[in-house]
Amino acid sequence: MTDSARTSAQSATKPPSLRERMRATVRKEVVEVALRLFVEQGFDRTTVDQIAGEVGLSRASLFRYFGTKEDMVLQGLDETGRQIAEAFAARPDTERPWEALRRAFDVLTQANEQAPEQALSYLRMLQETPSLRARHFEKQLSWQAMLEPEIARRLGVSADQPEEVGPNALSGAALACLDAAATGWVTCGGAVPLAVLLDRAMGTLTE
């Protein structure tokens, strides 16, 4: 191994610094406090000053960790999108893209069903708060962008050709089914498992 390669490998495995760990700890605490207050009081009625006060930060310090209240709610969705994309890419090539997408969404359905009351409160807040709905839609567009290259590969088309609309159509339809299932899950108060509702939604488009 060359010196440059060895340095790169060491950098890749270098543990986070104390400062990075402290920052991650503070961010986690802010999110936990913010979500609790949002659920208890409502998103719009909860102020940044309230959150900062409970965490023990000044308003200015809080904004060094999160630019907006919406960021406190949605900060985990980028990672969720990456996990779904990785799960999708790991599915066998023998599966049809639609089935592989359904199985990739298990990442989300299983996580929600491990703490259903918390997940229901979170999804209800997303659905009832216009500013969060708008930002959530933006996040899902980024999920589409993560999924489309693998969909294109499975379809045997180029993801760079704008006339190849299949990957965009499949990813958009799959995420629309996920939204429909989540809405149904919240509406029924979790009486029907999210995974079952997602099966129904995605199955409707294959009948």
Side-chain angles (χ1 to χ4, degrees), residues 15-185:
S17 66
L18 176 60
R19 182 176 182 179
E20 290 170 335
R21 294 198 302 273
M22 290 178 63
R23 181 176 178 82
T25 299
V26 173
R27 283 177 61 89
K28 182 175 183 292
E29 184 179 359
V30 169
V31 168
E32 290 174 351
V33 169
L35 289 178
R36 175 175 58 78
L37 291 174
F38 293 153
V39 170
E40 291 175 355
Q41 303 177 171
F43 180 81
D44 291 328
R45 289 190 294 274
T46 300
T47 67
V48 171
D49 289 334
Q50 280 182 296
I51 299 168
E54 289 224 13
V55 179
L57 294 173
S58 68
R59 180 186 178 92
S61 295
L62 184 64
F63 279 125
R64 286 202 289 270
Y65 292 94
F66 294 98
T68 66
K69 285 199 303 180
E70 287 81 4
D71 290 338
M72 299 175 198
V73 176
L74 302 172
Q75 56 89 33
L77 291 185
D78 289 332
E79 177 60 24
T80 300
R82 283 190 288 271
Q83 291 174 355
I84 291 171
E86 289 171 1
F88 178 50
R91 299 302 303 175
D93 281 347
T94 52
E95 285 183 342
R96 294 172 62 86
W98 191 248
E99 176 61 21
L101 284 166
R102 169 60 192 90
R103 296 275 62 88
F105 287 151
D106 285 341
V107 168
L108 192 56
T109 60
Q110 291 171 1
N112 284 345
E113 289 169 2
Q114 287 175 1
E117 291 305 318
Q118 181 180 348
L120 284 166
S121 295
Y122 179 81
L123 289 172
R124 189 175 294 112
M125 179 171 56
L126 289 184
Q127 294 172 11
E128 294 176 352
T129 309
S131 62
L132 289 175
R133 282 205 308 271
R135 289 288 303 279
H136 184 245
F137 178 71
E138 291 176 5
K139 293 291 185 181
Q140 286 202 327
L141 288 178
S142 72
W143 290 10
Q144 276 192 260
M146 294 180 200
L147 291 169
E148 285 175 13
E150 176 63 13
I151 295 175
R153 186 191 70 79
R154 288 170 179 262
L155 293 177
V157 301
S158 172
D160 299 326
Q161 297 297 320
E163 66 272 17
E164 296 291 356
V165 298
N168 183 266
L170 276 177
S171 61
L175 289 171
C177 288
L178 181 61
D179 281 342
T183 298
W185 194 49

